[in-house]
Amino acid sequence: MLLSTMISQLAGGMITSIEIFILTLIFSLPLGLLVSAGRRSKFKPLSLLMKAYISIMRGTPLMLQLIVIFFAPYYVFGMHLSPEYRMIAVIIAFSINYAAYFAEIYRGGIESIPKGQYEAAKVLGYNKIETFFIIILPQVIKVVLPSITNEVITLVKDTSLSFVIAIPEMFTIAKQIAAADASIVALLVAGVFYYVFNLIVAFAMEHLEDRLNYYD
């Protein structure tokens, strides 16, 4: 198969991979912040619930979570779902999985902020919500950005796991082409895509870190 033809076939899967990546970040980053708040809550049942959620999400394979979220509505509730639910299940599974990791990253960042910051904000007349979003959160983002970058890079590669519920992302299409052509060229092209995509992500995150490095 000509390389140009191969790339055109992979393009659809490439778009799907990018879509999973972007939508997962859109949902998981704010969800992780909410989970982190629940995890740190003084209301014990909520704190324990969030702790259990984080433990389950981090302690079980993402592939298993994909399978459960896709098949559970049918086998547990008897619901008949549309073909579009495959993509929805992928976004749900990826979002709740990565939200658990982001929640722990946020928690570590929040707990690293000196207590004096809260006391100073109180003296200046800020309420708790204003203190968090105006004083604490900007500092937390700066602290946790390297850890978030690692998770974001992992997400780029994890998009290939969506093959388990037959979502035709790029790696799945590359395997199909490789099997049909009895050649690994398509897999190598897919590998180059993931590598370049990660380089772009790493560069963007590094640029963001530099922008936030206000001490320089």
Side-chain angles (χ1 to χ4, degrees):
M1 179 184 296
L2 292 175
L3 183 61
S4 58
T5 304
M6 182 183 301
I7 292 175
S8 66
Q9 290 184 9
L10 290 170
M14 186 185 304
I15 292 171
T16 301
S17 296
I18 294 172
E19 184 179 357
I20 294 171
F21 172 80
I22 293 173
L23 289 176
T24 298
L25 288 183
I26 288 173
F27 292 115
S28 63
L29 285 169
L31 179 58
L33 193 59
L34 291 175
V35 173
S36 177
R39 173 73 174 81
R40 298 179 65 253
S41 172
K42 294 180 180 179
F43 183 56
K44 205 65 176 177
L46 177 60
S47 177
L48 290 174
L49 179 62
M50 293 299 100
K51 188 175 181 179
Y53 160 74
I54 292 171
S55 177
I56 292 171
M57 291 297 105
R58 298 201 304 170
T60 57
L62 176 55
M63 185 180 293
L64 175 61
Q65 295 164 22
L66 278 164
I67 294 171
V68 170
I69 290 173
F70 179 66
F71 289 105
Y74 176 76
Y75 286 106
V76 177
F77 303 106
M79 298 172 61
H80 293 278
L81 302 167
S82 66
E84 290 76 18
Y85 180 68
R86 290 183 185 276
M87 189 63 175
I88 295 172
V90 166
I91 302 304
I92 292 173
F94 273 76
S95 296
I96 64 175
N97 177 274
Y98 272 84
Y101 288 92
F102 288 140
E104 287 297 272
I105 292 173
Y106 288 138
R107 185 171 69 89
I110 292 169
E111 293 179 354
S112 72
I113 304 299
K115 298 296 182 183
Q117 298 280 339
Y118 296 90
E119 295 169 357
K122 187 175 181 180
V123 170
L124 291 172
Y126 290 105
N127 59 38
K128 289 184 177 180
I129 295 177
E130 290 172 335
T131 297
F132 181 76
F133 284 102
I134 297 175
I135 307 297
I136 304 302
L137 187 58
Q139 298 180 70
V140 169
I141 292 173
K142 181 178 181 298
V143 170
V144 304
L145 200 56
S147 297
I148 287 179
T149 298
N150 289 336
E151 291 301 324
V152 171
I153 289 174
T154 300
L155 173 59
V156 173
K157 295 176 285 187
D158 277 352
T159 57
S160 62
L161 291 176
S162 59
F163 80 90
V164 74
I165 56 174
I167 289 293
E169 44 69 51
M170 195 170 77
F171 188 66
T172 299
I173 294 175
K175 288 192 297 182
Q176 293 171 350
I177 295 173
D181 290 354
S183 169
I184 65 168
V185 174
L187 294 174
L188 293 176
V189 173
V192 170
F193 162 77
Y194 286 115
Y195 180 68
V196 171
F197 194 3
N198 270 325
L199 280 181
I200 294 171
V201 170
F203 175 79
M205 298 299 281
E206 184 178 345
H207 178 68
L208 183 57
E209 285 184 50
D210 290 340
R211 291 288 300 274
L212 293 176
N213 194 7
Y214 41 77
Y215 290 115
D216 289 344

